[in-house]
Amino acid sequence: MMGNFDSIVELISDCLEKIKSQADYIEVRAERSVATRIEMRNKELSDCSECNQSGWSVRVFKDDGRSFAAFDSFDDFDSKMKSAIDMARYGQQPGGKAPIVHLTAVEVFESGKAETVTLRDKVNVVQRYNEIMLFSPSIVSTQIEYRDFAKEKLFASSMGSRIKTYSDAIIAMLIPIAKHKANIERDIEIYCSDINFSGFNNLDQRVERSARLAKDLTHAKRIEPFVGDVLLDQAATGTLFHEVFGHLSEADLIIEHPLLEEKLRHGSKLGSDNLTIIDNGTIEGWAGSFRYDDEGVQAKETFLMQDGVVRGHMHSLDTAIQIREEPTGNARTTSYRFPPIVRMSNTYVDNGGNSFQEMLSDIETGVYVRGSCPARNTLGKYVLYPREVYRVERGEVKELLSGAVIYGDIFETLKNVSGVGDDLQFCNTACTKGSQLWLPVGTGGPHVLINGLQIGGYR
Amino acid sequence: MNEILCDIVDLAEKNRIKAEIFSNRVRSKALTFNNDKVEEINYEERTDYYIRVIKDGKIGFYSAMNFLDIESAIKKSLNSSEFGEKVRFDFPMVDEFIYPKTYDTRLMQLMDQETAKLAGICEGFVHTLRLLNRQISCNLSLEIGETVTSIANTSGFFCSYKKSGFYLASWVKGFIDDRLVQHFDLLRSRKQEDLSRFAEQIVKELYWSENLVNVKTGDYKMLFMPSVSKVLFQGFLAMVNGGAVLKQESLLENRLGEKIFDNRLSITDDCSADWLLGSIPFDDEGVKASSKPIIEEGLFNNFLYDLKTGALAGTGSTGNGKRYEGKIRIAANNLLVGEGCLTLDDLIKEIDEGILVGTGMGSLDMNGNFNIVVENGYLISGGEIAGKIDNNLQVIGNIFNAFNSIMNISKERISSGSMLLPYIGFERLSLQAN
C-alpha cells in the first residue's frame, strides 16, 4: 500500500542515498490516483465506478546497461531496488553511457486538489447528454464513456531531483448510432480537458450536433473514390498533422528507422513553404501542458517544421543523447507502470496567411472535412477516417457525404499543402502509442488546404 | 490474494448483498534486443481487483490496482449501485470446468532464470534469420509473463487458473540486391514456440519485396493474409455480439439459421484448444466456457452473450464475458476459421493475375463495408509473386459479398491474437490504386 506521500519521499531518498554509487543513474517514480468511470449504453448506466491505483517503478542506468521495473507494493523496497540494478547489467544501450550529463537536480513540490463533484452530479450530466442524443427515433442506440482522474506523481533521482506533481483530466467519448432502413451510421464526439467540470457540463450543443450528424449520415450519399483537394477545418488539421508529422518527429521512431533519420535531418525541405508545425508543452490550459516531463526535464517549445523545413525533433533523455541533440521535455508516461517514452505535448500547425474563403474558392473538385477524427499511420503512410465530409465543387460547399476515408503518403501530403489559414484554433484530445493509451495532448491549427489527396470510401 | 477475495465475499454476505470479486495477478519480464544487443530489461508485478455488487436488483462497481481496502471497496461499490442498471442475472455457481493447457512451466522457469537465457532466445532467432539471409538486422521485443486469474462470488464460486504468455515482436530489416526491405511480425502464444518456422516465413516475405511493381485500379482476385482477414472477422464479431443485437446495431438481427456466407466458411468460438491464447476453463464472470459454431458451412448459428445480455435475450450467457480494461465486454474466446485443403503456395499458383494483401490498415463500418489501406501488397502474376506493389492502394468491399465469393481457403492456419485463421482467396475485390 502507498501511504502518506511525504513518507514515501523519505523512503525513496534514504534508499537512493545508500545505493546511488552502485549505478550511474537511478530514478524512481511513485504514483497514486483516483479515477471515476461512467459508461452509459442506451438508457442504462452499465458502469459507474471509482478506481484507486497506486504503485512505483525504478529505472536504472549502469555502465552501458538499462533496466526498468514496476511494482505494486513498497514492501522489500531496498531489495527490489537492488534487483533492478542487477538487471541493468544486461542492457547495453546503443548510445553508450547513461544520459546524466543533461540533468540538473530540481526540487519542485506542486499540490493540487480535484474539484469536489459528486458521483451523482457526474451521472446527471452523462444522463442529460444521453437524452440529448436520443432526440430522434432514428437514434437507435447511444454510448457514452466518461473517465476522470486525479493523480499525484513523485519523481526522485539519484542526482537529487525531487519533483512532486499533480495532474487531472476528464476524457469523454459520446457515440450516437442512427439507423435508416438497413443503413447504420454513427458519430464519435471526444472531449478532453483538465478537470474543469463546468467545461464538461457545457457541451449540450456539441452533443446535439453529433447526434444530428449521425442521423444525417444515414441519408447521406456514399462517397465515390476520387483524387481531389481536401480542405480541413481546425480540428481536422490538428488530427492530420498530429498523425502525419507529429509521430514522425518523435525521435525514438527516427532512431529505430534509419530511412526516417535520413529524411528527417535538420534542414530537410519536406513541406510546402507555408507550413510551420510546433510542439509546445508550456501553453496554459492545453491538455498536453506540464511543467516537467516524466524525466524531470522542463517542458518547452520546439519547432518541428518551419516554412516547410525540418527544424527539430521531440526527445526523451535517451533519444537526445543518441542523436546528440538537446532534450525537449517530451518524455511522458501514462502510468508509473511504463517507462517514459517520446510523446507529443501540444502539437499544432501555426497560422499562415490564407483566408478560409480564399482556399475554398481554389477548389475545383474536392471535399471539406470537419472535426477531429480517428486516424492511423505507419512509416510513411496514413489513413484518416473523417466524421463529417462535404463535397466541394467550384468553390462551393455542397452536400454531406458518408463513408469517406482519406489516405496517402505522408511526405507527398506535406508537400501538397497549398493553403494555410489564419484562423488557428486549439483542440484537446488523447493519444495512444504502443501500450500507453489515452494520454492527454493538444492539437490544432487553422484551416488547411491540401491538393491531390486520395479520397476513398467503403464501397 | 485469496484472503482478500474471501474477505470481500464474507463482508458482502454479512451485509446481505450479492457480490463478485475478480482479480488478475500479473508478473512479466520483457527485453528489447536491438542490433544484437540487449537494450533494456523491464519487469512488472501488479494485481488488479474488480468488484461487482448487486443490491436491490441494481448493479454497482469498484476497482483498484495493487491495494484493496475491503471496507471501502464494498462501500464504494454500493454507492455506485445507487445509479446502476437493474440486472436480471445472478452470479454463477461452480461448475465442472475443463482446464485446457494454458500454463507452460518450462517457460515460466525461464522467466525466473538469468536474463542471459532470455537474451539467448533472441540471439537464436537472429541466428536463424541470418542463416536465411546474412545481411539481416532486427529489433526484437520479447516478453514472458504469467497471469493468475481468480474469481469469487457470493454464490459460492471460488476458482482460479494460471496462464503463461510468450510474445515476440520482430522488426526485420534486410538487403536484397542492395535495396533495404523491412518486415514487421508478431508471435503470441501461451508456450515457448519453435521460432524457426516464424523466421522462415519472415524471410520468405522479405524476398517477395525483391521487385517493385505498380498496379492499376480495378477488380482483382485477392488473397488475404490472416492479419488482414482479421479485420473482416473482427467486424463480423461485432455483429454477432449479443449486446449489439439487443440494441438493434447488428445487421444479423433476425438472421439466425440463415445461410449468410459461402458454405466453405465455418467459424467456431473455441475455448478448449490447448495453448491457444483465448482458451479458458470459465469466462471472466465465472461462467463455464463452451465451444460453439458461429457459422457452420455458411449457416449462421449463434450469437455470443455475457451474463447481462444473455439474461435479457432469454438465452443465458454463452460464456463470452471478457474483461477489457476492467469492464465486461462480449468477445469470442478463440475464433477458429475452418481450414481448406490447399497450401498457400497452391493458392498463389491458382491465380493468374491477382493481389496478395500482406498487411494493411483496415476498418469496417456498421453496414459490413470494409476499407483496407494496403501497407504491404504483392502482385501475383502467372501463379507467382511478381513483386511488392509500390503505389498507394486501398481494397474496398463488403463482408457479405466477400465471404460469398470465396475462391479458396488454405490448409495452413496462423494465430493472430486469439484468432486462428487461414489464408483466404476471394474471386473479385475492388482495388483503388493511385
Side-chain angles (χ1 to χ4, degrees):
Chain A
M1 142 174 211
M2 190 178 302
N4 185 319
F5 236 51
D6 294 334
S7 64
I8 302 285
V9 178
E10 234 171 82
L11 172 75
I12 294 170
S13 296
D14 288 351
C15 182
L16 281 175
E17 200 53 43
K18 274 188 276 178
I19 62 170
K20 67 181 183 188
S21 61
Q22 296 173 31
D24 296 322
Y25 177 69
I26 305 170
E27 60 184 26
V28 177
R29 266 175 221 88
E31 192 176 295
R32 69 177 168 189
S33 65
V34 56
T36 309
R37 295 201 318 197
I38 301 171
E39 189 175 296
M40 194 152 191
R41 289 179 179 239
N42 294 340
K43 294 204 166 187
E44 302 289 352
L45 277 173
S46 53
D47 189 7
C48 170
S49 62
E50 192 178 299
C51 174
N52 288 81
Q53 180 174 331
S54 64
W56 68 280
S57 58
V58 52
R59 193 160 66 142
V60 178
F61 293 84
K62 183 178 164 61
D63 302 324
D64 286 346
R66 187 170 61 176
S67 71
F68 174 86
F71 299 98
D72 51 0
S73 137
F74 274 92
D75 297 345
D76 305 320
F77 183 73
D78 288 9
S79 73
K80 284 171 178 166
M81 292 284 276
K82 280 176 189 153
S83 68
I85 293 172
D86 191 45
M87 277 201 311
R89 69 197 156 88
Y90 290 102
Q92 298 165 336
Q93 201 180 330
K97 291 282 179 191
I100 50 175
V101 287
H102 288 296
L103 290 176
T104 313
V106 280
E107 277 208 11
V108 179
F109 289 89
E110 283 180 3
S111 61
K113 199 168 180 295
E115 277 185 299
T116 320
V117 181
T118 63
L119 192 58
R120 162 66 68 193
D121 289 340
K122 294 173 188 175
V123 168
N124 283 345
V125 176
V126 167
Q127 285 175 329
R128 189 176 85 232
Y129 290 157
N130 196 58
E131 282 304 316
I132 292 173
M133 286 200 286
L134 289 165
F135 80 101
S136 153
S138 302
I139 305 294
V140 290
S141 177
T142 57
Q143 187 179 335
I144 301 179
E145 286 183 27
Y146 167 96
R147 293 165 186 216
D148 65 38
F149 69 81
K151 189 186 282 185
E152 278 181 286
K153 294 201 288 190
L154 173 70
F155 172 87
S157 77
S158 56
M159 293 291 290
S161 283
R162 304 287 182 267
I163 301 174
K164 198 181 108 185
T165 53
Y166 173 87
S167 62
D168 51 24
I170 295 176
I171 299 172
M173 187 160 69
L174 301 101
I175 306 175
I177 298 169
K179 191 172 182 180
H180 174 66
K181 296 182 180 164
N183 191 21
I184 306 175
E185 296 284 350
R186 68 176 181 179
D187 186 46
I188 302 178
E189 178 68 47
I190 291 179
Y191 174 85
C192 176
S193 97
D194 55 356
I195 287 191
N196 168 2
F197 199 76
S198 57
F200 179 68
N201 195 7
N202 198 21
L203 303 177
D204 299 47
Q205 285 184 351
R206 263 169 78 173
V207 175
E208 187 184 338
R209 194 172 184 285
S210 171
R212 287 189 185 280
L213 176 61
K215 183 186 172 205
D216 292 347
L217 283 168
T218 60
H219 297 274
K221 192 178 161 193
R222 289 242 141 207
I223 201 161
E224 292 294 329
F226 72 107
V227 175
D229 298 337
V230 175
L231 180 60
L232 303 165
D233 82 348
Q234 294 97 331
T237 294
T239 306
L240 182 75
F241 287 91
H242 170 101
E243 290 299 334
V244 304
F245 198 68
H247 282 297
L248 216 60
S249 301
E250 292 169 340
D252 48 354
L253 197 74
I254 296 170
I255 288 166
E256 274 178 28
H257 303 288
L259 291 180
L260 275 186
E261 197 173 350
E262 182 60 37
K263 277 208 172 223
L264 289 164
R265 265 185 212 292
H266 279 256
S268 298
K269 179 84 164 70
L270 290 184
S272 57
D273 290 343
N274 46 5
L275 190 59
T276 294
I277 304 170
I278 300 165
D279 181 81
N280 188 343
T282 69
I283 309 170
E284 191 80 19
W286 274 38
S289 296
F290 44 85
R291 277 180 74 191
Y292 290 90
D293 75 359
D294 290 311
E295 293 183 319
V297 177
Q298 212 161 1
K300 60 179 282 203
E301 179 184 56
T302 306
F303 275 73
L304 306 175
M305 175 176 283
Q306 194 170 25
D307 303 326
V309 177
V310 175
R311 292 289 179 216
H313 309 121
M314 286 170 278
H315 283 292
S316 64
L317 291 172
D318 257 2
T319 62
I321 200 164
Q322 287 186 52
I323 308 191
R324 294 189 175 82
E325 290 179 1
E326 287 299 308
T328 56
N330 284 95
R332 302 179 68 191
T333 169
T334 52
S335 154
Y336 75 90
R337 290 181 49 211
F338 306 107
I341 53 172
V342 185
R343 304 295 297 261
M344 284 173 257
S345 58
N346 306 299
T347 312
Y348 63 98
V349 175
D350 204 7
N351 264 331
N354 303 109
S355 72
F356 169 73
Q357 202 52 49
E358 197 183 330
M359 290 187 284
L360 185 63
S361 55
D362 275 352
I363 301 175
E364 184 60 30
T365 314
V367 289
Y368 178 40
V369 178
R370 294 191 62 182
S372 58
C373 54
R376 294 172 70 185
N377 67 2
T378 57
L379 295 174
K381 287 184 181 177
Y382 70 89
V383 196
L384 203 64
Y385 303 101
R387 293 162 55 190
E388 192 176 353
V389 173
Y390 297 88
R391 186 169 68 85
V392 177
E393 200 176 282
R394 292 187 196 127
E396 271 187 45
V397 178
K398 303 283 188 183
E399 75 277 8
L400 179 71
L401 300 169
S402 70
V405 172
I406 294 172
Y407 66 104
D409 177 275
I410 290 173
F411 298 104
E412 279 173 25
T413 300
L414 290 169
K415 276 184 197 146
N416 290 341
V417 172
S418 61
V420 178
D422 51 8
D423 48 3
L424 169 67
Q425 274 182 22
F426 302 130
C427 176
N428 289 329
T429 186
C431 170
T432 288
K433 183 172 175 180
S435 45
Q436 299 198 40
L437 316 175
W438 294 105
L439 182 75
V441 293
T443 66
H447 277 86
V448 164
L449 177 63
I450 308 173
N451 298 129
L453 278 188
Q454 295 186 95
I455 301 149
Y458 286 88
R459 189 63 252 177
Chain B
M1 191 169 70
N2 288 350
E3 216 171 281
I4 291 175
L5 267 64
C6 290
D7 288 350
I8 285 281
V9 170
D10 286 349
L11 190 59
E13 279 169 348
K14 268 184 207 153
N15 284 282
R16 294 182 182 173
I17 50 172
K18 294 173 181 173
E20 170 205 72
I21 175 163
F22 172 97
S23 83
N24 259 345
R25 169 85 184 144
V26 179
R27 217 162 60 87
S28 67
K29 198 181 226 180
L31 57 86
T32 46
F33 188 87
N34 291 344
N35 301 316
D36 301 325
K37 287 188 291 191
V38 175
E39 189 174 305
E40 182 171 309
I41 298 137
N42 290 3
Y43 178 78
E44 184 183 18
E45 287 175 10
R46 72 168 204 279
T47 310
D48 302 334
Y49 299 99
Y50 301 101
I51 293 172
R52 296 196 290 181
V53 297
I54 301 174
K55 193 190 175 202
D56 302 330
K58 290 164 81 178
I59 193 154
F61 309 87
Y62 175 74
S63 61
M65 188 182 281
N66 296 337
F67 171 73
L68 194 65
D69 176 330
I70 289 159
E71 301 261 346
S72 159
I74 289 287
K75 198 172 150 195
K76 284 177 175 168
S77 46
L78 282 174
N79 183 26
S80 146
S81 73
E82 282 179 39
F83 313 104
E85 64 186 309
K86 283 259 182 200
V87 290
R88 295 184 193 169
F89 67 84
D90 204 348
F91 298 120
M93 292 186 286
V94 177
D95 208 327
E96 283 183 13
F97 300 123
I98 298 160
Y99 288 79
K101 286 181 186 163
T102 55
Y103 191 79
D104 182 355
T105 311
R106 203 167 56 101
L107 179 65
M108 297 324 298
Q109 283 166 351
L110 197 59
M111 184 169 95
D112 291 326
Q113 287 170 356
E114 285 280 291
T115 305
K117 298 253 180 186
L118 291 187
I121 295 176
C122 296
E123 283 161 3
F125 180 63
V126 175
H127 177 71
T128 312
L129 286 168
R130 291 215 176 109
L131 289 177
L132 301 161
N133 181 317
R134 277 193 304 137
Q135 285 178 294
I136 274 176
S137 68
C138 58
N139 294 357
L140 302 177
S141 176
L142 173 69
E143 184 175 331
I144 289 176
E146 70 172 8
T147 304
V148 182
T149 299
S150 307
I151 304 177
N153 68 34
T154 46
S155 301
F157 188 105
F158 192 152
C159 294
S160 66
Y161 66 96
K162 288 196 290 188
K163 292 178 283 201
S164 53
F166 180 86
Y167 170 97
L168 181 71
S170 71
W171 191 290
V172 177
K173 287 162 270 187
F175 284 89
I176 295 172
D177 297 336
D178 292 334
R179 195 165 56 78
L180 179 67
V181 289
Q182 306 186 60
H183 183 81
F184 177 76
D185 220 325
L186 272 179
L187 179 69
R188 290 172 72 194
S189 178
R190 293 254 166 259
K191 63 180 171 63
Q192 190 176 351
E193 293 287 346
D194 170 15
L195 298 179
S196 54
R197 272 183 54 199
F198 185 52
E200 273 168 30
Q201 186 60 32
I202 287 172
V203 174
K204 186 173 174 181
E205 288 179 33
L206 277 182
Y207 276 98
W208 287 347
S209 305
E210 212 167 352
N211 301 316
L212 286 182
V213 294
N214 280 310
V215 293
K216 288 181 183 163
T217 295
D219 288 351
Y220 289 86
K221 289 188 173 180
M222 269 189 220
L223 199 49
F224 278 15
M225 299 273 273
S227 62
V228 177
S229 50
K230 186 177 180 178
V231 173
L232 309 193
F233 289 110
Q234 277 169 336
F236 170 69
L237 276 177
M239 292 179 194
V240 302
N241 179 317
V245 178
L246 292 169
K247 287 187 287 177
Q248 302 173 51
E249 289 170 11
S250 171
L251 292 177
L252 294 179
E253 194 187 342
N254 305 322
R255 297 194 65 182
L256 264 181
E258 276 184 39
K259 184 176 176 308
I260 60 169
F261 294 147
D262 185 295
N263 56 15
R264 280 169 294 178
L265 193 63
S266 290
I267 304 172
T268 307
D269 174 40
D270 174 272
C271 61
S272 59
D274 289 340
W275 305 120
L276 286 188
L277 279 185
S279 295
I280 46 167
F282 48 85
D283 74 358
D284 292 345
E285 298 186 292
V287 177
K288 184 177 180 178
S290 64
S291 298
K292 62 204 86 65
I294 301 175
I295 298 287
E296 221 169 356
E297 295 180 353
L299 210 66
F300 176 43
N301 272 337
N302 274 300
F303 287 109
L304 307 180
Y305 294 102
D306 59 3
L307 280 173
K308 185 179 94 176
T309 56
L312 289 172
T315 58
S317 169
T318 51
N320 291 92
K322 298 271 190 180
R323 285 197 181 265
Y324 176 74
E325 288 190 348
K327 278 286 307 159
I328 293 287
R329 306 270 188 236
I330 298 168
N333 295 307
N334 296 301
L335 190 89
L336 309 187
V337 175
E339 71 269 37
C341 31
L342 296 178
T343 64
L344 171 64
D345 289 341
D346 292 337
L347 287 182
I348 294 172
K349 273 180 204 153
E350 284 211 329
I351 298 173
D352 191 40
E353 192 187 27
I355 311 285
L356 170 64
V357 185
T359 55
M361 295 181 279
S363 75
L364 215 90
D365 73 7
M366 299 179 85
N367 301 300
N369 301 312
F370 62 82
N371 173 300
I372 295 164
V373 172
V374 179
E375 292 169 74
N376 288 304
Y378 308 93
L379 176 68
I380 303 171
S381 182
E384 284 179 357
I385 301 284
K388 186 178 172 183
I389 301 168
D390 198 29
N391 44 348
N392 288 330
L393 310 173
Q394 67 159 343
V395 179
I396 53 180
N398 176 287
I399 60 166
F400 294 98
N401 296 339
F403 285 149
N404 275 303
S405 67
I406 287 175
M407 185 171 60
N408 241 317
I409 294 176
S410 77
K411 200 191 302 190
E412 306 99 318
R413 291 189 295 178
I414 309 282
S415 280
S416 184
S418 55
M419 294 187 185
L420 188 63
L421 306 176
Y423 301 84
I424 301 181
F426 300 98
E427 285 291 353
R428 280 269 171 267
L429 284 176
S430 291
L431 182 84
Q432 296 289 323
N434 71 345

